[in-house]
Amino acid sequence: MPSDSETIPAQVPIANLPPSEDTLAHEEAKEEQETETAAPRRSSRITGGSKSAVEEKGAAKKGAKKTAVTRKRSADDSGANEKAKGPINGIKKAKTTKSKNTEDDGLALGDPLPVLTVKNEKDEDIDVQDIAGDSAGVVLFLVPKADTPGCTTQACGFRDSYPDFEALNFKVFCLSADTPKAQSKWQTKKSLPYPLLSDPKRALIGALTAGTSKTARSHFIFAQGKLVDKKIPVKPADSPRLALAFIKSLKTASVTSSGLTEEDSAAPAVAESSADAMDTDVTEAKLEAKAEAEVKAQGTDYPAIETQTLASATEGEAQPEETGASIV
């Protein structure tokens, strides 16, 4: 055992001992290794995060572009479908321009011929209110443009049936906005037998149809100076046929309302004359019978007794005349 003079150093805990150089070097190397190992992992996480953000941004742009393209395609498809389907429920969109003229527009039934002056195909002034003259009526048919297919069909239809209108004592006129020169050329080319009226300013056309920008194909029938029928619009081939049929119906209605034809209208006068003649004969017979009765009552029989004429005597006043002998 050590002596009391020897001092035994106190034991120091191992944990409190300073690390040796080897230990420090080892720890430094370990830290460096951990740093090198941890750095790539940290860098990898940062790089990975950055890449993810870029991808997300690119995906967002791509998605927005795709959405825009999809919307455009949808709009195009929608427009195409609307064109293919046409009007919804058969109703077309309203146009800004005025609709076509109808029979509710323009001159009304019962209205007289307008008081206007226009030119004919000879460039002469024509008073519209006087075009009927002494005829039973007048037909005014309107064409959009002279010497065009549809207008020629309509005009030639009235040309072919013109004798029928004349037989019914109706005049026919063609009205358009063409110049007198153009109308005259068309009249000669198609041998149109009726006059053509020129109305470039559409004054008469507007009064009839209420349209001043275009001429609606139509016809108007006037009888005794009043509008009795109109067709607006009308097909070219139908116009002359319908106009003639209506005028014939007017004649038939006139005969039916009176119940007599022209031949029948003379019958009452003839019957009345015959009745008067019969009454005269009966009166004369009565006078003769009365005279004979008076002679017999006086006792004298004269076979030949004449009576006065009806013009000089009335019933009950006739006196027998002597015929070579006096009555006692």
Side-chain angles (χ1 to χ4, degrees):
M1 291 185 65
S3 61
D4 295 333
S5 59
E6 293 179 0
T7 303
I8 300 173
Q11 293 183 358
V12 180
I14 297 175
N16 293 331
L17 292 175
S20 63
E21 293 181 1
D22 294 336
T23 301
L24 291 175
H26 176 73
E27 288 180 358
E28 287 178 0
K30 185 178 181 180
E31 287 179 3
E32 288 179 3
Q33 184 178 1
E34 288 178 358
T35 301
E36 290 177 0
T37 305
R41 284 199 297 271
R42 186 169 58 253
S43 176
S44 176
R45 282 197 297 271
I46 294 172
T47 305
S50 300
K51 185 177 181 182
S52 177
V54 172
E55 288 178 353
E56 289 178 1
K57 188 175 181 180
K61 289 183 178 181
K62 187 181 293 185
K65 186 176 180 181
K66 186 176 181 180
T67 302
V69 172
T70 303
R71 288 178 180 175
K72 185 176 179 181
R73 288 180 179 175
S74 299
D76 294 341
D77 293 342
S78 177
N81 291 334
E82 287 182 0
K83 290 181 179 180
K85 291 179 181 178
I88 300 174
N89 297 328
I91 301 174
K92 295 182 179 180
K93 293 182 179 179
K95 295 182 179 180
T96 55
T97 57
K98 189 180 183 298
S99 59
K100 291 184 178 180
N101 301 105
T102 65
E103 293 186 5
D104 295 331
D105 300 325
L107 215 61
L109 296 180
D111 288 347
L113 280 162
V115 182
L116 291 168
T117 300
V118 295
K119 298 282 187 179
N120 64 5
E121 78 283 358
K122 298 176 183 178
D123 204 20
E124 301 170 337
D125 288 337
I126 301 295
D127 291 329
V128 177
Q129 61 181 344
D130 298 330
I131 59 176
D134 57 355
S135 64
V138 60
V139 179
L140 270 171
F141 72 93
L142 282 62
V143 297
K145 186 172 180 60
D147 205 10
T148 54
C151 299
T152 298
T153 298
Q154 186 179 6
C156 290
F158 277 100
R159 177 199 64 189
D160 297 340
S161 56
Y162 186 70
D164 296 326
F165 287 101
E166 280 191 319
L168 295 169
N169 197 23
F170 267 73
K171 293 184 177 181
V172 177
F173 291 85
C174 174
L175 174 65
S176 74
D178 298 287
T179 63
K181 183 178 180 180
Q183 290 181 337
S184 179
K185 183 178 179 180
W186 187 37
Q187 184 186 50
T188 302
K189 180 180 178 181
K190 296 299 179 180
S191 302
L192 305 179
Y194 43 77
L196 282 73
L197 302 180
S198 174
D199 186 21
K201 295 183 179 180
R202 290 188 170 85
L204 178 55
I205 294 171
L208 294 172
T209 66
T212 56
S213 59
K214 292 183 179 181
T215 303
R217 190 185 310 282
S218 53
H219 69 248
F220 298 78
I221 302 176
F222 294 84
Q224 299 179 352
K226 305 292 183 181
L227 180 64
V228 293
D229 184 57
K230 63 177 180 177
K231 295 297 179 187
I232 173 173
V234 66
K235 293 182 179 180
D238 292 342
S239 184
R241 177 180 58 82
L242 293 175
L244 184 60
F246 181 83
I247 294 173
K248 287 182 177 179
S249 71
L250 286 180
K251 295 292 184 180
T252 303
S254 177
V255 171
T256 303
S257 62
S258 64
L260 299 172
T261 62
E262 292 182 357
E263 295 178 356
D264 294 336
S265 63
V270 174
E272 184 177 356
S273 177
S274 300
D276 292 341
M278 291 178 64
D279 291 341
T280 301
D281 293 340
V282 171
T283 302
E284 290 180 352
K286 287 181 179 181
L287 290 174
E288 288 178 359
K290 185 176 181 181
E292 289 179 0
E294 289 178 352
V295 170
K296 287 181 180 180
Q298 295 177 3
T300 305
D301 188 11
Y302 293 94
I305 300 296
E306 296 181 356
T307 61
Q308 294 179 347
T309 62
L310 184 62
S312 62
T314 59
E315 185 177 358
E317 296 179 353
Q319 298 294 332
E321 296 181 354
E322 294 183 1
T323 55
S326 60
I327 300 176
V328 182

